[in-house]
């Protein structure tokens, strides 16, 4: 709790985008330790392979997209750096949140477009222009490809608005 409040006490909205990074409770810590006990070399190798496949699918689907600046990650953690869009009503100020004017609206918009298709992604806690992707370890390769295509469709839609 002390670390969370020191980092986000003045700007809780930014901290909230971390979801449960700093959940500060014993249940989460116990679950994390139990998960670590299940990890073995084969699981780590699968996570690396799945992450590489995800980043490859994203590079193929959106790597050259005008709204994509970078695709990066390690293992199952992936980030897609999106370019800020300049549009009079595609901003947090327009939505009534002037205190979030320094945050990019693009990753939250992509997340909003992905959700109805059954995909959950998030904005990074400190930089809302980064789409944060953390698939489960046993995800099917076909689902990764479908996700990459859904990201392309979302970006195409947003590009047409801008």
């Amino acid at each position: 709790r002390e670390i969370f409040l020191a980092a986000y006490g003045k700007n809780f909205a930014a901290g909230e985008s971390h979801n449960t990074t700093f959940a500060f409770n014993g249940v989460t810590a116990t679950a994390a330790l139990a998960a670590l006990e299940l990890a073995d070399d084969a699981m780590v190798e699968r996570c690396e392979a799945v992450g590489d496949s995800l980043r490859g699918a994203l590079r193929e689907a959106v790597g050259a997209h005008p709204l994509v600046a970078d695709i990066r990650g390690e293992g199952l953690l992936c980030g897609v750096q999106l370019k800020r869009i300049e549009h009079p009503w595609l901003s947090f100020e327009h939505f009534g949140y002037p205190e979030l004017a320094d945050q990019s609206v693009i990753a939250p918009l992509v997340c909003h477009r992905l959700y109805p298709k059954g995909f959950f992604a998030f904005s990074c806690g400190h930089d809302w222009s980064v789409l944060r992707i953390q698939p489960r370890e046993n995800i099917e390769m076909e689902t990764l490809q479908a996700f990459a295509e859904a990201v392309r469709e979302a970006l195409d839609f947003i590009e047409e608005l801008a």
Side-chain angles (χ1 to χ4, degrees):
R1 179 179 297 268
E2 183 180 315
I3 293 170
F4 182 90
L5 292 175
Y8 304 109
K10 294 179 182 172
N11 189 356
F12 189 77
E16 186 66 17
S17 68
H18 273 282
N19 297 345
T20 60
T21 302
F22 305 111
F24 52 81
N25 68 66
V27 173
T28 355
T30 302
L33 290 172
L36 287 174
E37 289 178 11
L38 296 174
D40 60 10
D41 290 343
M43 178 184 274
V44 171
E45 289 174 15
R46 168 133 172 91
C47 289
E48 289 174 2
V50 170
D52 289 344
S53 294
L54 171 60
R55 286 181 290 283
L58 286 167
R59 285 186 183 102
E60 184 178 317
V62 299
H65 198 283
L67 294 178
V68 173
D70 190 24
I71 298 169
R72 58 184 179 265
E74 188 69 34
L76 287 177
L77 181 60
C78 180
V80 179
Q81 176 74 51
L82 300 168
K83 297 176 183 173
R84 286 183 176 259
I85 48 177
E86 298 300 327
H87 191 282
W89 54 268
L90 289 177
S91 70
F92 282 109
E93 291 170 301
H94 175 78
F95 296 138
Y97 298 96
E99 67 277 9
L100 298 177
D102 63 326
Q103 292 288 359
S104 173
V105 72
I106 190 158
L109 286 173
V110 172
C111 293
H112 177 74
R113 301 287 303 171
L114 292 173
Y115 178 74
K117 295 180 182 219
F119 296 114
F120 297 97
F122 304 94
S123 304
C124 278
H126 296 297
D127 184 354
W128 294 357
S129 66
V130 177
L131 183 66
R132 178 174 48 113
I133 307 155
Q134 297 171 275
R136 65 187 189 278
E137 178 266 337
N138 63 345
I139 193 166
E140 300 289 331
M141 294 300 170
E142 296 81 24
T143 304
L144 294 178
Q145 188 62 44
F147 174 78
E149 292 302 317
V151 170
R152 184 190 47 72
E153 290 170 8
L155 290 173
D156 287 348
F157 179 84
I158 293 167
E159 182 186 25
E160 287 180 27
L161 293 176

